[in-house]
Every structure is written in structure tokens, then in C-alpha cells.
Amino acid sequence: MSSPRFEAFLAALYVDADTRQRFLADPHATARQAGLDASEVDALARIDRVGLELAARSFASKRAARSRPRLGRRLLDAGARLLRPGQVL
Amino acid sequence: MAVGVAVVADAVVGAAVTEAARDRVGLGWRPELAATILTHLDRIDVVEVIADDYFDAGRGALRALRTLAVQVPVVLHGVSLGLASTLAVDRARLDAMARVVEWVAPDAWSEHLAFVRAGGREIGHLAAPPRTAATVEGTARNVAWARRVVGAAPLLENVATLIDPPGSDRDEPAWISEVAETAGVDVLLDLHNLYANAVNFGFDAREALARLPVERVSAVHLAGGRWIGRLLDDHLHDVPDAVFSLLTELASIAPRPLTVIIERDGNFPLPARLLAELDRAREALARGRTRQPCESAA
């Protein structure tokens, strides 16, 4: 169990709302269409549905946060410019 | 007789103090915490920096990071390699990690036991992989490659998950133990992640801790979270009492010095409150160390 194809299907479930909706409506058919084997299809049919929705929401929120500028590095750069190399505070 | 007992007790406490003296407590570097960190270095033993923020950095930014490392010991933490996967880790990302490690010469670097992309999709965060023999082997392959490219193996960190990873055929302690053994790496044990998974999936965190390879644990993360129907590890809240208790428990059985990092990503408290959390972590460590038998604390 677990293959690149299985991980790709999980990634699609976590990221893509349409795929998730189709899957939840008919897990067996959607997983089979993705080329997964019988044991993988069975595992997905038993998926933790509450967890799937919560995880998908959490991942979406993280993706949105990642798109913001990386303030951390810019502030560190600015602070470091005030110091001479090797200077200890 | 009383003197003899006192001598033994002193030896136990002495060993614990020696061990505790080698334990370190610090903070994750965040811009909002820069002033707190730089003005309280007497109370912060170590700082953890997100390495990925420097993957595309120029020499100036890397020099700035090196300057920080002159002020305080730095450890690097990766969030985007996706080592726990049947898919090969991206070479360009490994090269970028190697470059940051070379510039900073950190005490250690770490990554998560997670996959973060597959099938051309970026998940955007740390997804717990199916806990199977295939992901054990895939992780070991990726770690071996990372070790070659970066020059040192990462510590591997357990992740929090809101979903019971589909397709798993073993539980979390068994899977982590197998990965650590097969890959031959040390473990960064995130105690809030362990606690959150225990709450969310109904197992006992202390029992799980006892089944983890504590002899490989050399670093610890502490954080807080909130309830969203399950416990979300959001790093926006204070470290809960239960997690400090787990730190004491870990310190009572872990044979190696521990580098403990408190992760706080937002909703930042006043410096005094954050520093008090560091003190509380030190106290929790010290309590656990005093419970260690002499031979394992020596």
C-alpha cells in the first residue's frame, strides 16, 4: 500500500475541491478512475471523512498564508545591516 | 545511613543537573519576535530558523543569517522537502538546503515526516503520509540522498494531522520507530503534535511516547493549538499543561541532551509571557531529569 499514484490521489483530495466532492459522492468509482488498485480503493472508501474536510480546510488556509511576502527574512536582513560582520550584541 | 541516603540523593540530583545543563531551550525565529530574542539572549539558548525562507536568498541575506548565528546558536528547520514519501525528494530543494547549511553551519538541521506535494500538486503544508512499509522505505531513500547532498542527515519530526492517514497499516509510534531505524536518523519530537494526534485519534500520548525511540530524540518542539472539531496545531496559543507534562516524561527517559524549541507563529504574547514559557520548559526538563536513574543520566 502507498505508491506515488496513491499519494498523488491524496494530494488531489486535499487540494482540489471538485475532486473531493466527486470522491465523497462515489469513493470507489473515483478512486478506480484514478488507476488505484483494489486495496487502495478499499482503503480510500474507509477514509476519515471528518478529518478529510478539516485537513483540506487547514491546507487551504496554509496555502493562502504562504502567498504572503516573507517578512521574516526581510526584517532579519534589515537588522543585520545595522551590525558589522562579527559584531556581537 | 541518613548520610548515605543523602549522598545517593545528591548524586542523582547532580547527574540530573549535569544533564539539564546540557539541555537547551529556545525559540523559533519569527520577525515579530526578533526584538524579544535579540534583547534576551541571556535567557535563550538557541534559535531555530526556517531554512526554506533562505532557499532563494542572495549572499547578503545569508550573511545576515550568519550574523544571527554569531549571536546565538542556530538550528535550521525545513518545511518543504517532503521527505516522507514514495516520491523522490526534489534535487533543487536539497541543493538549496545544502547551500543554507553551508553558510550557517548550524548545530543541526531537521525536516518533517510528511509529504507536501504529489502528482504536480502542492498541498501547501505538511501531510501525514500513509504509514506503510513503502513510505518507510521511501523516507529512508530520501534521507540517504539528503545526507549525501547536504552533508549531514536531518533530524526527522513527527507531524500533527487532522486526518487519520488513509492506507496506513501501522500506528504512529511503530511507523516512526521503523523510519528512524531504517533511515538511521535522530528524531525531533514535537510533543504538541503527539498530543494533538492522541486527542484527535483517541490514544494515550504517554503510552505512545514510551513506544517511540526516545534514545534517538535529541530535539523537541513545543507549541499550542485550538479546537476546531479536532485539535489543530496552529502555533498561535500557549503550550498547554499536558504538553509540559509530556516534556517532563520525556526528560525522565531520554538519555541524550535535548534542544527544546517553542514554536509561536502568531498571536504573539508579551515578551515576559513568552520568556516565562521558556522558564517553564526548563523547569519541566529539570523535573524529568531528576527522575532519571543515575546510569541513564550519566
Side-chain angles (χ1 to χ4, degrees):
Chain A
M1 176 75 66
S2 190
S3 60
R5 191 175 290 178
F6 189 72
E7 286 176 43
F9 190 74
L10 287 180
L13 285 181
Y14 296 159
V15 169
D16 188 75
D18 289 341
T19 303
R20 198 161 57 249
Q21 202 169 5
R22 270 187 288 115
F23 169 77
L24 290 172
D26 191 345
H28 285 92
T30 312
R32 268 196 302 268
Q33 282 162 15
L36 301 179
D37 68 28
S39 66
E40 291 170 331
V41 172
D42 284 347
L44 286 166
R46 296 192 304 272
I47 201 165
D48 165 13
R49 288 179 172 235
V50 172
L52 176 58
E53 289 297 343
L54 290 173
R57 234 180 287 160
S58 173
F59 292 142
S61 157
K62 288 285 185 181
R63 286 194 301 279
R66 284 273 159 78
S67 64
R68 291 198 284 273
R70 283 182 284 186
L71 183 63
R73 201 179 88 195
R74 285 191 282 114
L75 282 181
L76 179 55
D77 295 351
R81 274 197 293 274
L82 300 175
L83 297 169
R84 293 187 303 277
Q87 178 185 359
V88 178
L89 287 175
Chain B
M1 185 64 185
V3 173
V5 170
V7 168
V8 171
D10 282 352
V12 171
V13 172
V17 168
T18 303
E19 192 66 21
R22 288 186 285 152
D23 293 331
R24 302 186 297 180
V25 177
L27 281 171
W29 174 268
R30 305 292 183 270
E32 295 85 348
L33 298 178
T36 300
I37 290 171
L38 292 172
T39 55
H40 295 92
L41 289 177
D42 55 332
R43 295 175 67 182
I44 297 168
D45 305 323
V46 54
V47 169
E48 183 186 80
V49 174
I50 303 297
D52 308 57
D53 287 348
Y54 292 83
F55 278 4
D56 62 354
R59 294 169 69 87
L62 288 165
R63 208 173 286 125
L65 184 53
R66 189 185 275 170
T67 302
L68 178 67
V70 171
Q71 316 297 321
V72 60
V74 165
V75 291
L76 292 176
H77 190 47
V79 296
S80 69
L81 292 183
L83 296 176
S85 174
T86 57
L87 295 156
V89 63
D90 177 49
R91 175 63 195 247
R93 284 187 170 83
L94 276 186
D95 285 340
M97 179 64 82
R99 179 167 169 261
V100 181
V101 166
E102 189 179 354
W103 265 90
V104 180
D107 290 4
W109 73 283
S110 57
E111 244 298 350
H112 296 86
L113 282 166
F115 76 109
V116 295
R117 64 186 65 82
R121 286 184 173 85
E122 291 287 332
I123 296 170
H125 196 49
L126 309 160
R131 298 183 191 117
T132 64
T135 53
V136 169
E137 289 159 17
T139 306
R141 275 194 304 274
N142 282 331
V143 166
W145 197 14
R147 192 195 302 260
R148 279 199 300 277
V149 174
V150 178
L155 280 70
L156 294 181
E157 178 185 359
N158 59 308
V159 297
T161 179
L162 291 167
I163 179 172
D164 199 9
S168 298
D169 57 21
R170 57 203 78 190
D171 69 9
E172 189 175 13
W175 185 76
I176 291 173
S177 300
E178 211 173 326
V179 168
E181 177 69 25
T182 307
V185 293
D186 290 341
V187 172
L188 190 176
L189 184 58
D190 189 313
L191 290 174
H192 191 261
N193 288 350
L194 177 68
Y195 172 67
N197 290 351
V199 169
N200 290 337
F201 303 109
F203 62 85
D204 186 296
R206 282 175 186 273
E207 285 176 14
L209 177 60
R211 291 179 50 221
L212 287 168
V214 290
E215 72 284 359
R216 290 183 181 273
V217 176
S218 59
V220 175
H221 276 175
L222 306 177
R226 73 189 159 99
W227 188 254
I228 58 164
R230 288 187 181 171
L231 183 53
L232 175 69
D233 172 61
D234 65 5
H235 298 185
L236 301 179
H237 299 83
D238 292 351
V239 179
D241 293 347
V243 170
F244 282 118
S245 296
L246 285 173
L247 179 58
T248 295
E249 184 73 20
L250 174 65
S252 74
I253 55 176
R256 299 169 59 182
L258 299 171
T259 295
V260 179
I261 298 291
I262 293 183
E263 297 179 292
R264 187 80 182 213
D265 293 347
N267 190 24
F268 294 101
L270 291 171
R273 186 170 171 138
L274 201 51
L275 294 168
E277 276 206 311
L278 296 181
D279 291 342
R280 205 168 161 205
R282 286 192 179 90
E283 290 160 14
L285 278 166
R287 260 197 310 279
R289 292 307 191 190
T290 59
R291 283 170 23 194
Q292 277 213 350
C294 282
E295 60 271 25
S296 57

